């Protein structure tokens, strides 16, 4: 488990060369917009980019962990990694497994939710058991830990507010993956290792694009896929619907956070280049806001996002 609350400084130059990350694939949060990210990842991997480490938050943590698992499986079977093939497997995971809201979560009984809230037992408006079971069936933790590609996922400790990054070697890594993708209010907090004193939720509460930790690890070539456009447009929103309102407020907050993450990283990279250090940042994000209702979507909607992500990354990489 890695907890790095402070911004990176010149001390990273003292790191042992073998411990440094050179190529980092950074996957930001975005809930179901993670399908856009999966499409973008495919285009990036087809371009020849081969990351040393994968970083993820929220939906990005699921995508990063899936990729690390897939590359580890390839290494075990063939002795090498076919990155474009791994990207295709990620796209297929979304297309064939995330086809309807029930594949992600089930809305809890409103009566039960109200009762649990009164009794101080609130456990989210949605039961996210379906996605947790899907992840468990998909991942092989022993295989993942034996793979050469490293992965880190970020989640927030809701008891003290700290941002924490865990890697696959952590005993409770899977709990951190679930916590990283647990949407505040909509889904329950995750107790790490079953310990009620370690309650974690979506890393997007603090950081949406995990650029900082990649830079702290010494990454010199950063490839980042964000799921949110730079601006939120004025959409018609039923703000009298509690779940819709929560989702809208989250989007507004996350949009500002990811803009801050990216702006900080861009400034850092420019300063390092000015100092003569070889570091680069490539950013892929949608031009216009992506729309997908967590409570009402189809496999066709997922397919459209996959295509949008692939096209967006292709345009950036050609520029």
């Amino acid at each position: 488990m890695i907890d790095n609350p402070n911004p990176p400084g010149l001390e990273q130059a003292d790191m042992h060369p073998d411990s440094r990350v050179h190529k980092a694939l950074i996957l930001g949060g975005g809930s179901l917009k993670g399908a856009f990210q999966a499409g973008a990842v495919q285009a990036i991997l087809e371009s020849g980019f081969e990351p040393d480490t994968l970083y993820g938050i929220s939906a990005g943590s699921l995508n990063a962990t899936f990729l690390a698992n897939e590359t580890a499986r390839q290494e075990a079977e063939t002795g090498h990694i076919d990155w474009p093939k791994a990207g295709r497997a990620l796209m297929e995971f979304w297309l064939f497994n995330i086809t309807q809201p029930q594949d992600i979560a089930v809305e809890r009984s409103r009566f039960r939710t109200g009762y649990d809230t009164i009794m101080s037992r609130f456990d989210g408006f949605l039961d996210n058991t379906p996605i947790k079971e899907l992840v468990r069936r998909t991942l092989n933790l022993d295989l993942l830990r034996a793979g050469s590609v490293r992965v880190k996922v970020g989640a927030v400790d809701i008891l003290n507010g700290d941002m924490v990054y865990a890697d696959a070697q952590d005993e409770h890594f899977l709990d951190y993956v679930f916590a990283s993708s647990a949407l505040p209010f909509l889904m329950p907090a995750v107790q790490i290792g079953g310990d009620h004193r370690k309650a974690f939720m979506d890393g997007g509460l603090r950081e949406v694009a995990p650029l900082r930790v990649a830079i702290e690890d010494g990454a010199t070539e950063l490839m980042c896929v964000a799921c949110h456009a730079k601006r939120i447009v004025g959409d018609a929103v039923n703000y009298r619907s509690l779940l819709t309102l929560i989702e809208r407020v989250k989007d507004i907050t996350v949009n500002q956070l990811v803009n801050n993450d990216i702006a900080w990283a861009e400034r850092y990279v420019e300063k390092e280049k000015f100092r003569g250090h070889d570091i680069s940042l490539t950013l892929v994000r949608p031009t216009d806001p992506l729309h997908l209702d967590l409570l009402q979507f189809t496999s066709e909607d997922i397919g459209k996002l996959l295509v949008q992500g692939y096209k967006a990354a292709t345009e950036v990489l050609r520029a």
Side-chain angles (χ1 to χ4, degrees):
M1 183 176 67
I2 301 96
D3 183 2
N4 290 315
N6 300 315
L10 296 179
E11 68 276 8
Q12 66 180 351
D14 298 326
M15 295 175 64
H16 190 282
D18 292 338
S19 68
R20 292 175 67 87
V21 175
H22 298 287
K23 291 186 177 182
L25 180 59
I26 297 148
L27 305 179
S31 186
L32 287 175
K33 300 178 184 71
F36 168 92
Q37 189 174 80
V41 166
Q42 175 62 24
I44 289 169
L45 298 180
E46 286 181 353
S47 76
F49 185 78
E50 298 183 354
D52 304 305
T53 303
L54 307 166
Y55 297 87
I57 283 178
S58 190
S61 72
L62 295 175
N63 285 338
T65 302
F66 181 92
L67 279 173
N69 185 79
E70 173 63 19
T71 57
R73 184 191 65 77
Q74 290 183 16
E75 285 182 309
E77 292 181 359
T78 68
H80 73 279
I81 298 173
D82 183 334
W83 279 104
K85 183 178 179 180
R88 289 193 295 274
L90 177 61
M91 290 182 64
E92 290 171 358
F93 173 81
W94 276 90
L95 195 58
F96 298 131
N97 292 287
I98 313 296
T99 63
Q100 58 182 339
Q102 290 78 13
D103 294 332
I104 300 292
V106 178
E107 191 171 355
R108 298 185 190 275
S109 161
R110 295 186 181 184
F111 172 80
R112 183 70 187 182
T113 299
Y115 178 78
D116 286 345
T117 301
I118 293 172
M119 300 301 294
S120 297
R121 296 197 303 243
F122 179 72
D123 210 20
F125 290 103
L126 302 176
D127 177 1
N128 60 342
T129 299
I131 188 63
K132 292 167 72 173
E133 290 302 319
L134 175 60
V135 171
R136 287 193 181 99
R137 292 195 304 270
T138 303
L139 298 184
N140 182 326
L141 284 177
D142 290 335
L143 201 64
L144 176 62
R145 287 168 176 150
S148 65
V149 178
R150 291 165 289 181
V151 59
K152 291 183 180 180
V153 301
V156 170
D157 184 335
I158 63 171
L159 300 183
N160 60 33
D162 287 344
M163 183 76 193
V164 174
Y165 283 91
D167 64 26
Q169 303 307 319
D170 190 287
E171 178 185 4
H172 303 297
F173 175 70
L174 203 54
D175 286 342
Y176 284 103
V177 174
F178 293 147
S180 182
S181 54
L183 302 175
F185 300 110
L186 294 180
M187 297 177 181
V190 175
Q191 296 178 1
I192 305 300
D195 188 345
H196 71 277
R197 296 165 301 179
K198 297 180 180 179
F200 282 69
M201 295 198 80
D202 191 344
L205 288 168
R206 287 284 300 269
E207 295 178 355
V208 180
L211 288 153
R212 174 185 60 86
V213 66
I215 290 174
E216 287 181 343
D217 285 348
T220 54
E221 189 173 347
L222 299 98
M223 184 73 68
C224 177
V225 184
C227 298
H228 294 80
K230 192 170 185 178
R231 296 179 59 85
I232 287 183
V233 297
D235 295 325
V237 175
N238 180 11
Y239 54 85
R240 302 299 292 273
S241 165
L242 180 58
L243 293 181
T244 301
L245 180 61
I246 290 174
E247 188 72 7
R248 180 63 172 179
V249 171
K250 179 180 71 66
D251 275 346
I252 293 171
T253 304
V254 166
N255 183 263
Q256 185 58 53
L257 285 172
V258 73
N259 285 343
N260 290 344
D261 293 339
I262 292 169
W264 175 86
E266 289 175 335
R267 289 194 300 268
Y268 181 85
V269 168
E270 286 303 311
K271 286 192 293 184
E272 289 301 293
K273 286 182 176 179
F274 181 75
R275 293 170 177 166
H277 297 158
D278 185 16
I279 183 170
S280 66
L281 168 61
T282 302
L283 173 65
V284 177
R285 70 188 307 186
T287 303
D288 300 311
L290 303 174
H291 299 283
L292 201 62
D293 189 340
L294 184 63
L295 302 178
Q296 187 176 2
F297 68 90
T298 66
S299 57
E300 183 179 353
D301 296 323
I302 295 296
K304 289 178 180 178
L305 283 182
L306 288 167
V307 172
Q308 282 182 264
Y310 187 88
K311 289 182 176 178
T314 299
E315 290 176 4
V316 169
L317 296 170
R318 285 176 178 173

